[in-house]
Amino acid sequence: MPLPSEKEEVWRYTPIDALDLDAYAPAVLGPAAPAAGPLAEAFVAGLASDLPVRAAMVTTLDGAVRSVDRGRLDDRVVVGAVSAASEGALGQVLTGGDALVRLNDAFHPDAVVVDVPAGVVVEDPIVVVHWCGAAPETGAVAPASFPRTVVRLGRGASAGVVEVVAGMPEGRGLVVPVVELRAGEGARLSYVGLQVLGPSAWHIARMAAASDRDATLRTFTVGLGGAYDRSRTDAVAAGPGATTELRSAYLGTGEQVHDVRTLQDHAAPHTTSDLLCKGAVAGSSRSVYSGLIRVRRGAVRTEAFQTNNNLVLDPNAHADSVPNLDIEENDVRCSHASTVGPVDEDQRYYLESRGVPPERAEQLIVLGFFDDIVQRSPVPASVGRLQREVGIRLTEALHVGDGSHG
Amino acid sequence: MTDGHLLEVENLHATAGGGEVVRGVDLTVRSGEVHVIMGPNGSGKSTLAHALMGRPGTTVTEGSVRLDGVELVGLPAWRRARAGLFLALQQPIEVPGVLLDATMAEALAPLGAGPPDRGALSDRLRQEAAAIGFDERFLSRALNVDLSGGERKRNEVLQLGVLRPPFCVLDEIDSGLDVDAVRAVARRIESATGEWGLGVVAVTHFHRLLRELRADHVHVLVAGKVVASGGPELAEELEHTGYAAYASPT
């Protein structure tokens, strides 16, 4: 199977042609595997203290499960590594997939599985942390990681998962995560994905989500790190009455490329999906948002909404926004909207008319732009950490801290 | 109470969107005074308000605006605000994710200093909300997001009460408000004229504001010029005759 190419529509505007797999080697596993370094340990400890109330925490090193802390998790819930023998859990939601998914199939060391049986309600979030690049770049060879995660909720179950991809603080690296989410009948599944890799890493993530009859599936993916950060989310409303809420946020600094692709796939009647994707690009960074609402024949009374808002903070930054509709049914309500532009002049004037200096006004508006989406995270416990991660990078993006006011 | 501030507008000409819409306005406002500027739609009222505050896109082509002797023309809006001028917008702007209380903390923080005491600010916000019937639940929400038109207007007056500037310009503060709300807002503004000597320039094309707000001076603005000035009786007269009598023959 060939590697993806920029000639394909789903890879347009990306630097994927520059991907040279020979420059990467999958992480070493088994007894020779490197230990988690102090950076990884400090990161995990920090995350643990930011999410003090949690049901369970799983850590992996390059996708290999290193620890499973079940905390006060209900005994009936399965959390942890699934061995190759029982990998029937995989590929249930994500079918097909390109060459990068095949690479993950071949090289993921473990699959982290969260299996919540019918009727079980997990109140507190389950945290999954992947630290990538345990063996850093040596010579011409950079590390490649293939984390794999499956979350399944049975009928009427409820749970929230916070998954964090971090590591590769220096040097190049490639991280190709694959995540599958399934919300069974009437289940409520909330998922937050946070990517905070180092500035030279490539992150090419694929997520597939399915919601059955009357299920509610809410996802929020936040892309902050990496040189190239791609997240593709395909969410299918598979059963009647299913509700999907997709949220994404990205912030580009330096020369980053953020690339968000979404599919709201309506395969059943009376289904609802609502997508909101907000991003800002500063410096020479750029972003691509491309989203498709597909309403299949028979999916009557579909309601699907798609909104992409982009702030372009510097003259050399650039954002592309490509919304699409593919509707095969008549009795539906669908809409899409996108904006690309600098900080709103009226908003700035409004704050200035209260005496707020322009640099500070811009900072408040951009912080607010993100806060607006972060505050509504489907896993409320994640809000504090997300705000801090965004805040740190915004400080850099807006060149604040030099104390000068007009 | 701080007395003795002076706002002097002299021969002000301003353009917005290419055409000249303020064509030579003179106005002197002292602490505690209420000036109401009335005029039909398109007479230049809003342009005047924004020219005073310094909205980008509104250009002063001639004339001067001095606050206690400090020339405001040429200063950015935030400097004018810090000099002591406040504008209540006709259509207050939504700013998602930027909270009202946090904005007030920023606005009150002198340059280089930290924000004011949270407890004191929060008390003041609650007092001002109570004074004008603004729902306290809105105090820690994003600016104007999910607020009705009337609530947004109350929000402007609330901020005025929190910031306590020497002068304010009210751009159609009465539009979109019901009778009770106009009364509540007008009472708050009027009491501010005594409390800290607020000087008011209220721009409106409704007479009903004048039933609630005691005006010291009424000015009629037609085609960008003040064509008549007088006391409250001028508004009464306008109510009967309309603006037609003042229509300029240009």
Side-chain angles (χ1 to χ4, degrees), chain A residues 77-78 82 86-93 112-118 120 126 149-155 157-159 161 180-184 187-189 210:
Chain A
V77 178
V78 175
V82 158
S86 54
E87 286 199 358
L90 304 187
Q92 298 295 304
V93 180
V112 174
V113 168
V114 175
D115 218 334
V116 184
V120 175
I126 295 167
T149 306
V150 179
V151 180
R152 294 190 299 194
L153 267 57
R155 185 174 176 175
S158 171
V161 173
E180 292 178 79
L181 308 176
R182 171 140 231 141
R188 301 180 62 85
L189 171 53

PDB file of all heavy atoms in Angstrom, chain A residues 77-78 82 86-93 112-118 120 126 149-155 157-159 161 180-184 187-189 210:
ATOM      1  N   VAL A  77     -15.162  -2.839  34.979  1.00  0.00           N
ATOM      2  CA  VAL A  77     -14.577  -2.118  33.848  1.00  0.00           C
ATOM      3  C   VAL A  77     -13.192  -2.677  33.533  1.00  0.00           C
ATOM      4  O   VAL A  77     -12.370  -2.862  34.423  1.00  0.00           O
ATOM      5  CB  VAL A  77     -14.474  -0.606  34.171  1.00  0.00           C
ATOM      6  CG1 VAL A  77     -13.826   0.150  33.013  1.00  0.00           C
ATOM      7  CG2 VAL A  77     -15.849  -0.047  34.493  1.00  0.00           C
ATOM      8  N   VAL A  78     -12.957  -2.981  32.268  1.00  0.00           N
ATOM      9  CA  VAL A  78     -11.646  -3.464  31.839  1.00  0.00           C
ATOM     10  C   VAL A  78     -10.818  -2.261  31.393  1.00  0.00           C
ATOM     11  O   VAL A  78     -11.251  -1.477  30.542  1.00  0.00           O
ATOM     12  CB  VAL A  78     -11.779  -4.456  30.663  1.00  0.00           C
ATOM     13  CG1 VAL A  78     -10.398  -4.866  30.144  1.00  0.00           C
ATOM     14  CG2 VAL A  78     -12.592  -5.675  31.080  1.00  0.00           C
ATOM     15  N   VAL A  82      -4.389  -4.868  25.961  1.00  0.00           N
ATOM     16  CA  VAL A  82      -4.987  -6.071  25.420  1.00  0.00           C
ATOM     17  C   VAL A  82      -3.924  -6.773  24.601  1.00  0.00           C
ATOM     18  O   VAL A  82      -3.268  -6.158  23.761  1.00  0.00           O
ATOM     19  CB  VAL A  82      -6.222  -5.716  24.574  1.00  0.00           C
ATOM     20  CG1 VAL A  82      -6.536  -6.823  23.598  1.00  0.00           C
ATOM     21  CG2 VAL A  82      -7.401  -5.464  25.477  1.00  0.00           C
ATOM     22  N   SER A  86      -6.280 -11.256  21.987  1.00  0.00           N
ATOM     23  CA  SER A  86      -7.679 -10.823  22.079  1.00  0.00           C
ATOM     24  C   SER A  86      -7.915  -9.534  21.311  1.00  0.00           C
ATOM     25  O   SER A  86      -8.706  -8.697  21.696  1.00  0.00           O
ATOM     26  CB  SER A  86      -8.082 -10.657  23.538  1.00  0.00           C
ATOM     27  OG  SER A  86      -7.185  -9.804  24.175  1.00  0.00           O
ATOM     28  N   GLU A  87      -7.180  -9.373  20.271  1.00  0.00           N
ATOM     29  CA  GLU A  87      -7.301  -8.124  19.540  1.00  0.00           C
ATOM     30  C   GLU A  87      -8.526  -8.040  18.639  1.00  0.00           C
ATOM     31  O   GLU A  87      -8.606  -7.173  17.785  1.00  0.00           O
ATOM     32  CB  GLU A  87      -6.016  -7.798  18.781  1.00  0.00           C
ATOM     33  CG  GLU A  87      -4.927  -7.322  19.736  1.00  0.00           C
ATOM     34  CD  GLU A  87      -3.798  -6.563  19.053  1.00  0.00           C
ATOM     35  OE1 GLU A  87      -3.854  -6.452  17.816  1.00  0.00           O
ATOM     36  OE2 GLU A  87      -2.904  -6.100  19.758  1.00  0.00           O
ATOM     37  N   GLY A  88      -9.453  -8.940  18.880  1.00  0.00           N
ATOM     38  CA  GLY A  88     -10.723  -8.810  18.182  1.00  0.00           C
ATOM     39  C   GLY A  88     -11.378  -7.478  18.471  1.00  0.00           C
ATOM     40  O   GLY A  88     -12.248  -7.017  17.739  1.00  0.00           O
ATOM     41  N   ALA A  89     -10.911  -6.851  19.571  1.00  0.00           N
ATOM     42  CA  ALA A  89     -11.449  -5.544  19.942  1.00  0.00           C
ATOM     43  C   ALA A  89     -11.075  -4.477  18.907  1.00  0.00           C
ATOM     44  O   ALA A  89     -11.726  -3.450  18.804  1.00  0.00           O
ATOM     45  CB  ALA A  89     -10.928  -5.140  21.318  1.00  0.00           C
ATOM     46  N   LEU A  90     -10.011  -4.718  18.172  1.00  0.00           N
ATOM     47  CA  LEU A  90      -9.533  -3.690  17.248  1.00  0.00           C
ATOM     48  C   LEU A  90     -10.217  -3.802  15.890  1.00  0.00           C
ATOM     49  O   LEU A  90     -10.663  -4.863  15.480  1.00  0.00           O
ATOM     50  CB  LEU A  90      -8.019  -3.816  17.044  1.00  0.00           C
ATOM     51  CG  LEU A  90      -7.169  -3.759  18.305  1.00  0.00           C
ATOM     52  CD1 LEU A  90      -5.695  -3.728  17.934  1.00  0.00           C
ATOM     53  CD2 LEU A  90      -7.526  -2.562  19.148  1.00  0.00           C
ATOM     54  N   GLY A  91     -10.250  -2.703  15.208  1.00  0.00           N
ATOM     55  CA  GLY A  91     -10.770  -2.710  13.845  1.00  0.00           C
ATOM     56  C   GLY A  91     -12.274  -2.850  13.772  1.00  0.00           C
ATOM     57  O   GLY A  91     -12.836  -3.080  12.712  1.00  0.00           O
ATOM     58  N   GLN A  92     -12.954  -2.689  14.910  1.00  0.00           N
ATOM     59  CA  GLN A  92     -14.417  -2.771  14.898  1.00  0.00           C
ATOM     60  C   GLN A  92     -15.045  -1.478  14.401  1.00  0.00           C
ATOM     61  O   GLN A  92     -16.078  -1.490  13.755  1.00  0.00           O
ATOM     62  CB  GLN A  92     -14.933  -3.073  16.313  1.00  0.00           C
ATOM     63  CG  GLN A  92     -14.462  -4.399  16.868  1.00  0.00           C
ATOM     64  CD  GLN A  92     -15.014  -5.567  16.069  1.00  0.00           C
ATOM     65  OE1 GLN A  92     -16.225  -5.707  15.908  1.00  0.00           O
ATOM     66  NE2 GLN A  92     -14.132  -6.408  15.545  1.00  0.00           N
ATOM     67  N   VAL A  93     -14.417  -0.385  14.738  1.00  0.00           N
ATOM     68  CA  VAL A  93     -14.956   0.911  14.342  1.00  0.00           C
ATOM     69  C   VAL A  93     -14.199   1.448  13.132  1.00  0.00           C
ATOM     70  O   VAL A  93     -14.783   1.947  12.178  1.00  0.00           O
ATOM     71  CB  VAL A  93     -14.878   1.922  15.512  1.00  0.00           C
ATOM     72  CG1 VAL A  93     -15.442   3.273  15.082  1.00  0.00           C
ATOM     73  CG2 VAL A  93     -15.630   1.384  16.722  1.00  0.00           C
ATOM     74  N   VAL A 112      -4.344  -0.102  24.229  1.00  0.00           N
ATOM     75  CA  VAL A 112      -4.962   0.273  25.502  1.00  0.00           C
ATOM     76  C   VAL A 112      -6.464   0.172  25.306  1.00  0.00           C
ATOM     77  O   VAL A 112      -7.024   0.809  24.419  1.00  0.00           O
ATOM     78  CB  VAL A 112      -4.589   1.714  25.904  1.00  0.00           C
ATOM     79  CG1 VAL A 112      -5.355   2.128  27.162  1.00  0.00           C
ATOM     80  CG2 VAL A 112      -3.092   1.843  26.105  1.00  0.00           C
ATOM     81  N   VAL A 113      -7.064  -0.677  26.136  1.00  0.00           N
ATOM     82  CA  VAL A 113      -8.509  -0.876  25.993  1.00  0.00           C
ATOM     83  C   VAL A 113      -9.231  -0.368  27.229  1.00  0.00           C
ATOM     84  O   VAL A 113      -8.779  -0.601  28.353  1.00  0.00           O
ATOM     85  CB  VAL A 113      -8.832  -2.364  25.757  1.00  0.00           C
ATOM     86  CG1 VAL A 113     -10.321  -2.619  25.906  1.00  0.00           C
ATOM     87  CG2 VAL A 113      -8.358  -2.792  24.383  1.00  0.00           C
ATOM     88  N   VAL A 114     -10.296   0.363  26.993  1.00  0.00           N
ATOM     89  CA  VAL A 114     -11.206   0.749  28.070  1.00  0.00           C
ATOM     90  C   VAL A 114     -12.553   0.159  27.689  1.00  0.00           C
ATOM     91  O   VAL A 114     -13.147   0.554  26.688  1.00  0.00           O
ATOM     92  CB  VAL A 114     -11.310   2.284  28.214  1.00  0.00           C
ATOM     93  CG1 VAL A 114     -12.350   2.648  29.262  1.00  0.00           C
ATOM     94  CG2 VAL A 114      -9.957   2.891  28.534  1.00  0.00           C
ATOM     95  N   ASP A 115     -12.985  -0.801  28.459  1.00  0.00           N
ATOM     96  CA  ASP A 115     -14.204  -1.523  28.125  1.00  0.00           C
ATOM     97  C   ASP A 115     -15.184  -1.362  29.284  1.00  0.00           C
ATOM     98  O   ASP A 115     -14.938  -1.869  30.377  1.00  0.00           O
ATOM     99  CB  ASP A 115     -13.857  -3.005  27.931  1.00  0.00           C
ATOM    100  CG  ASP A 115     -14.647  -3.612  26.789  1.00  0.00           C
ATOM    101  OD1 ASP A 115     -15.743  -3.098  26.491  1.00  0.00           O
ATOM    102  OD2 ASP A 115     -14.163  -4.595  26.206  1.00  0.00           O
ATOM    103  N   VAL A 116     -16.249  -0.617  29.052  1.00  0.00           N
ATOM    104  CA  VAL A 116     -17.208  -0.362  30.132  1.00  0.00           C
ATOM    105  C   VAL A 116     -18.477  -1.131  29.812  1.00  0.00           C
ATOM    106  O   VAL A 116     -19.150  -0.843  28.823  1.00  0.00           O
ATOM    107  CB  VAL A 116     -17.516   1.149  30.261  1.00  0.00           C
ATOM    108  CG1 VAL A 116     -18.429   1.413  31.452  1.00  0.00           C
ATOM    109  CG2 VAL A 116     -16.221   1.951  30.373  1.00  0.00           C
ATOM    110  N   PRO A 117     -18.794  -2.152  30.625  1.00  0.00           N
ATOM    111  CA  PRO A 117     -19.948  -2.992  30.287  1.00  0.00           C
ATOM    112  C   PRO A 117     -21.279  -2.255  30.455  1.00  0.00           C
ATOM    113  O   PRO A 117     -21.348  -1.188  31.066  1.00  0.00           O
ATOM    114  CB  PRO A 117     -19.860  -4.163  31.260  1.00  0.00           C
ATOM    115  CG  PRO A 117     -18.854  -3.823  32.266  1.00  0.00           C
ATOM    116  CD  PRO A 117     -18.103  -2.602  31.837  1.00  0.00           C
ATOM    117  N   ALA A 118     -22.300  -2.863  29.919  1.00  0.00           N
ATOM    118  CA  ALA A 118     -23.639  -2.262  29.912  1.00  0.00           C
ATOM    119  C   ALA A 118     -24.039  -1.799  31.303  1.00  0.00           C
ATOM    120  O   ALA A 118     -23.802  -2.485  32.302  1.00  0.00           O
ATOM    121  CB  ALA A 118     -24.656  -3.274  29.383  1.00  0.00           C
ATOM    122  N   VAL A 120     -22.905   0.341  33.343  1.00  0.00           N
ATOM    123  CA  VAL A 120     -21.935   0.840  34.324  1.00  0.00           C
ATOM    124  C   VAL A 120     -21.637   2.319  34.063  1.00  0.00           C
ATOM    125  O   VAL A 120     -21.353   2.719  32.941  1.00  0.00           O
ATOM    126  CB  VAL A 120     -20.623   0.019  34.264  1.00  0.00           C
ATOM    127  CG1 VAL A 120     -19.570   0.632  35.193  1.00  0.00           C
ATOM    128  CG2 VAL A 120     -20.905  -1.425  34.643  1.00  0.00           C
ATOM    129  N   ILE A 126     -11.096   8.587  33.101  1.00  0.00           N
ATOM    130  CA  ILE A 126     -10.039   7.600  32.959  1.00  0.00           C
ATOM    131  C   ILE A 126      -8.948   8.276  32.128  1.00  0.00           C
ATOM    132  O   ILE A 126      -9.223   8.805  31.046  1.00  0.00           O
ATOM    133  CB  ILE A 126     -10.574   6.341  32.250  1.00  0.00           C
ATOM    134  CG1 ILE A 126     -11.634   5.664  33.137  1.00  0.00           C
ATOM    135  CG2 ILE A 126      -9.433   5.377  31.908  1.00  0.00           C
ATOM    136  CD1 ILE A 126     -12.457   4.606  32.428  1.00  0.00           C
ATOM    137  N   THR A 149      -5.531   2.842  20.883  1.00  0.00           N
ATOM    138  CA  THR A 149      -6.501   2.919  21.977  1.00  0.00           C
ATOM    139  C   THR A 149      -7.890   2.536  21.482  1.00  0.00           C
ATOM    140  O   THR A 149      -8.280   2.922  20.379  1.00  0.00           O
ATOM    141  CB  THR A 149      -6.564   4.364  22.550  1.00  0.00           C
ATOM    142  OG1 THR A 149      -5.241   4.760  22.916  1.00  0.00           O
ATOM    143  CG2 THR A 149      -7.466   4.448  23.765  1.00  0.00           C
ATOM    144  N   VAL A 150      -8.585   1.785  22.319  1.00  0.00           N
ATOM    145  CA  VAL A 150      -9.960   1.408  22.007  1.00  0.00           C
ATOM    146  C   VAL A 150     -10.822   1.692  23.238  1.00  0.00           C
ATOM    147  O   VAL A 150     -10.485   1.259  24.337  1.00  0.00           O
ATOM    148  CB  VAL A 150     -10.079  -0.091  21.675  1.00  0.00           C
ATOM    149  CG1 VAL A 150     -11.532  -0.455  21.389  1.00  0.00           C
ATOM    150  CG2 VAL A 150      -9.198  -0.456  20.495  1.00  0.00           C
ATOM    151  N   VAL A 151     -11.883   2.446  23.051  1.00  0.00           N
ATOM    152  CA  VAL A 151     -12.813   2.695  24.157  1.00  0.00           C
ATOM    153  C   VAL A 151     -14.174   2.187  23.723  1.00  0.00           C
ATOM    154  O   VAL A 151     -14.682   2.590  22.664  1.00  0.00           O
ATOM    155  CB  VAL A 151     -12.896   4.201  24.494  1.00  0.00           C
ATOM    156  CG1 VAL A 151     -13.861   4.431  25.651  1.00  0.00           C
ATOM    157  CG2 VAL A 151     -11.518   4.768  24.812  1.00  0.00           C
ATOM    158  N   ARG A 152     -14.746   1.286  24.536  1.00  0.00           N
ATOM    159  CA  ARG A 152     -16.068   0.740  24.191  1.00  0.00           C
ATOM    160  C   ARG A 152     -16.997   0.860  25.374  1.00  0.00           C
ATOM    161  O   ARG A 152     -16.657   0.441  26.481  1.00  0.00           O
ATOM    162  CB  ARG A 152     -15.934  -0.751  23.820  1.00  0.00           C
ATOM    163  CG  ARG A 152     -15.139  -0.983  22.562  1.00  0.00           C
ATOM    164  CD  ARG A 152     -15.254  -2.425  22.130  1.00  0.00           C
ATOM    165  NE  ARG A 152     -14.737  -3.343  23.149  1.00  0.00           N
ATOM    166  CZ  ARG A 152     -14.474  -4.624  22.893  1.00  0.00           C
ATOM    167  NH1 ARG A 152     -14.717  -5.152  21.702  1.00  0.00           N
ATOM    168  NH2 ARG A 152     -13.994  -5.399  23.841  1.00  0.00           N
ATOM    169  N   LEU A 153     -18.150   1.438  25.130  1.00  0.00           N
ATOM    170  CA  LEU A 153     -19.155   1.531  26.182  1.00  0.00           C
ATOM    171  C   LEU A 153     -20.359   0.678  25.806  1.00  0.00           C
ATOM    172  O   LEU A 153     -20.900   0.826  24.705  1.00  0.00           O
ATOM    173  CB  LEU A 153     -19.607   2.990  26.368  1.00  0.00           C
ATOM    174  CG  LEU A 153     -18.865   3.805  27.438  1.00  0.00           C
ATOM    175  CD1 LEU A 153     -17.374   3.844  27.167  1.00  0.00           C
ATOM    176  CD2 LEU A 153     -19.437   5.210  27.538  1.00  0.00           C
ATOM    177  N   GLY A 154     -20.760  -0.178  26.743  1.00  0.00           N
ATOM    178  CA  GLY A 154     -21.932  -1.007  26.511  1.00  0.00           C
ATOM    179  C   GLY A 154     -23.215  -0.204  26.666  1.00  0.00           C
ATOM    180  O   GLY A 154     -23.202   0.991  27.005  1.00  0.00           O
ATOM    181  N   ARG A 155     -24.302  -0.872  26.437  1.00  0.00           N
ATOM    182  CA  ARG A 155     -25.622  -0.243  26.491  1.00  0.00           C
ATOM    183  C   ARG A 155     -25.830   0.524  27.796  1.00  0.00           C
ATOM    184  O   ARG A 155     -25.643  -0.007  28.887  1.00  0.00           O
ATOM    185  CB  ARG A 155     -26.649  -1.365  26.374  1.00  0.00           C
ATOM    186  CG  ARG A 155     -28.054  -0.899  26.290  1.00  0.00           C
ATOM    187  CD  ARG A 155     -28.932  -2.105  26.031  1.00  0.00           C
ATOM    188  NE  ARG A 155     -30.321  -1.710  26.031  1.00  0.00           N
ATOM    189  CZ  ARG A 155     -31.311  -2.530  25.738  1.00  0.00           C
ATOM    190  NH1 ARG A 155     -31.063  -3.790  25.415  1.00  0.00           N
ATOM    191  NH2 ARG A 155     -32.540  -2.086  25.768  1.00  0.00           N
ATOM    192  N   ALA A 157     -24.096   2.594  29.295  1.00  0.00           N
ATOM    193  CA  ALA A 157     -22.924   2.915  30.117  1.00  0.00           C
ATOM    194  C   ALA A 157     -22.539   4.374  29.933  1.00  0.00           C
ATOM    195  O   ALA A 157     -23.005   5.038  29.001  1.00  0.00           O
ATOM    196  CB  ALA A 157     -21.755   2.006  29.742  1.00  0.00           C
ATOM    197  N   SER A 158     -21.685   4.853  30.846  1.00  0.00           N
ATOM    198  CA  SER A 158     -21.245   6.240  30.757  1.00  0.00           C
ATOM    199  C   SER A 158     -19.811   6.341  31.271  1.00  0.00           C
ATOM    200  O   SER A 158     -19.487   5.789  32.325  1.00  0.00           O
ATOM    201  CB  SER A 158     -22.183   7.110  31.597  1.00  0.00           C
ATOM    202  OG  SER A 158     -21.671   8.410  31.696  1.00  0.00           O
ATOM    203  N   ALA A 159     -18.954   7.024  30.510  1.00  0.00           N
ATOM    204  CA  ALA A 159     -17.565   7.207  30.942  1.00  0.00           C
ATOM    205  C   ALA A 159     -16.912   8.340  30.169  1.00  0.00           C
ATOM    206  O   ALA A 159     -17.356   8.695  29.068  1.00  0.00           O
ATOM    207  CB  ALA A 159     -16.757   5.921  30.731  1.00  0.00           C
ATOM    208  N   VAL A 161     -12.960   9.772  28.996  1.00  0.00           N
ATOM    209  CA  VAL A 161     -11.546   9.411  28.853  1.00  0.00           C
ATOM    210  C   VAL A 161     -10.760  10.666  28.473  1.00  0.00           C
ATOM    211  O   VAL A 161     -11.187  11.438  27.613  1.00  0.00           O
ATOM    212  CB  VAL A 161     -11.368   8.334  27.761  1.00  0.00           C
ATOM    213  CG1 VAL A 161      -9.892   8.074  27.491  1.00  0.00           C
ATOM    214  CG2 VAL A 161     -12.084   7.041  28.162  1.00  0.00           C
ATOM    215  N   GLU A 180     -10.051   4.185  18.547  1.00  0.00           N
ATOM    216  CA  GLU A 180     -11.407   3.784  18.175  1.00  0.00           C
ATOM    217  C   GLU A 180     -12.331   3.990  19.376  1.00  0.00           C
ATOM    218  O   GLU A 180     -12.009   3.592  20.493  1.00  0.00           O
ATOM    219  CB  GLU A 180     -11.424   2.309  17.755  1.00  0.00           C
ATOM    220  CG  GLU A 180     -10.689   2.048  16.448  1.00  0.00           C
ATOM    221  CD  GLU A 180     -10.677   0.562  16.091  1.00  0.00           C
ATOM    222  OE1 GLU A 180     -11.695   0.063  15.594  1.00  0.00           O
ATOM    223  OE2 GLU A 180      -9.643  -0.086  16.350  1.00  0.00           O
ATOM    224  N   LEU A 181     -13.459   4.630  19.116  1.00  0.00           N
ATOM    225  CA  LEU A 181     -14.441   4.879  20.180  1.00  0.00           C
ATOM    226  C   LEU A 181     -15.770   4.276  19.753  1.00  0.00           C
ATOM    227  O   LEU A 181     -16.197   4.458  18.616  1.00  0.00           O
ATOM    228  CB  LEU A 181     -14.645   6.381  20.396  1.00  0.00           C
ATOM    229  CG  LEU A 181     -13.421   7.269  20.630  1.00  0.00           C
ATOM    230  CD1 LEU A 181     -13.857   8.740  20.716  1.00  0.00           C
ATOM    231  CD2 LEU A 181     -12.700   6.864  21.911  1.00  0.00           C
ATOM    232  N   ARG A 182     -16.419   3.584  20.684  1.00  0.00           N
ATOM    233  CA  ARG A 182     -17.764   3.096  20.361  1.00  0.00           C
ATOM    234  C   ARG A 182     -18.687   3.340  21.548  1.00  0.00           C
ATOM    235  O   ARG A 182     -18.403   2.894  22.665  1.00  0.00           O
ATOM    236  CB  ARG A 182     -17.742   1.613  20.017  1.00  0.00           C
ATOM    237  CG  ARG A 182     -19.136   1.007  19.894  1.00  0.00           C
ATOM    238  CD  ARG A 182     -19.264   0.018  18.744  1.00  0.00           C
ATOM    239  NE  ARG A 182     -20.411   0.330  17.913  1.00  0.00           N
ATOM    240  CZ  ARG A 182     -20.424   0.240  16.601  1.00  0.00           C
ATOM    241  NH1 ARG A 182     -19.334  -0.133  15.950  1.00  0.00           N
ATOM    242  NH2 ARG A 182     -21.508   0.524  15.918  1.00  0.00           N
ATOM    243  N   ALA A 183     -19.769   4.042  21.304  1.00  0.00           N
ATOM    244  CA  ALA A 183     -20.779   4.255  22.341  1.00  0.00           C
ATOM    245  C   ALA A 183     -21.973   3.379  21.998  1.00  0.00           C
ATOM    246  O   ALA A 183     -22.642   3.596  20.990  1.00  0.00           O
ATOM    247  CB  ALA A 183     -21.179   5.721  22.403  1.00  0.00           C
ATOM    248  N   GLY A 184     -22.228   2.400  22.823  1.00  0.00           N
ATOM    249  CA  GLY A 184     -23.349   1.489  22.592  1.00  0.00           C
ATOM    250  C   GLY A 184     -24.682   2.182  22.814  1.00  0.00           C
ATOM    251  O   GLY A 184     -24.745   3.368  23.147  1.00  0.00           O
ATOM    252  N   ALA A 187     -25.582   4.895  25.397  1.00  0.00           N
ATOM    253  CA  ALA A 187     -24.393   5.175  26.210  1.00  0.00           C
ATOM    254  C   ALA A 187     -23.981   6.634  26.066  1.00  0.00           C
ATOM    255  O   ALA A 187     -24.372   7.311  25.114  1.00  0.00           O
ATOM    256  CB  ALA A 187     -23.247   4.264  25.791  1.00  0.00           C
ATOM    257  N   ARG A 188     -23.188   7.090  27.035  1.00  0.00           N
ATOM    258  CA  ARG A 188     -22.663   8.457  26.989  1.00  0.00           C
ATOM    259  C   ARG A 188     -21.143   8.402  27.098  1.00  0.00           C
ATOM    260  O   ARG A 188     -20.605   8.110  28.165  1.00  0.00           O
ATOM    261  CB  ARG A 188     -23.235   9.291  28.135  1.00  0.00           C
ATOM    262  CG  ARG A 188     -24.755   9.380  28.120  1.00  0.00           C
ATOM    263  CD  ARG A 188     -25.270  10.210  29.286  1.00  0.00           C
ATOM    264  NE  ARG A 188     -24.773  11.575  29.200  1.00  0.00           N
ATOM    265  CZ  ARG A 188     -25.360  12.533  28.483  1.00  0.00           C
ATOM    266  NH1 ARG A 188     -26.449  12.267  27.799  1.00  0.00           N
ATOM    267  NH2 ARG A 188     -24.872  13.750  28.457  1.00  0.00           N
ATOM    268  N   LEU A 189     -20.493   8.665  25.991  1.00  0.00           N
ATOM    269  CA  LEU A 189     -19.033   8.585  25.948  1.00  0.00           C
ATOM    270  C   LEU A 189     -18.447   9.966  25.687  1.00  0.00           C
ATOM    271  O   LEU A 189     -18.788  10.632  24.710  1.00  0.00           O
ATOM    272  CB  LEU A 189     -18.610   7.608  24.832  1.00  0.00           C
ATOM    273  CG  LEU A 189     -17.126   7.526  24.468  1.00  0.00           C
ATOM    274  CD1 LEU A 189     -16.261   7.258  25.681  1.00  0.00           C
ATOM    275  CD2 LEU A 189     -16.897   6.430  23.425  1.00  0.00           C
ATOM    276  N   ALA A 210     -18.016   5.711  16.685  1.00  0.00           N
ATOM    277  CA  ALA A 210     -19.349   5.293  16.259  1.00  0.00           C
ATOM    278  C   ALA A 210     -20.301   5.385  17.438  1.00  0.00           C
ATOM    279  O   ALA A 210     -19.933   5.044  18.568  1.00  0.00           O
ATOM    280  CB  ALA A 210     -19.307   3.861  15.737  1.00  0.00           C
TER     281      ALA A 210
END
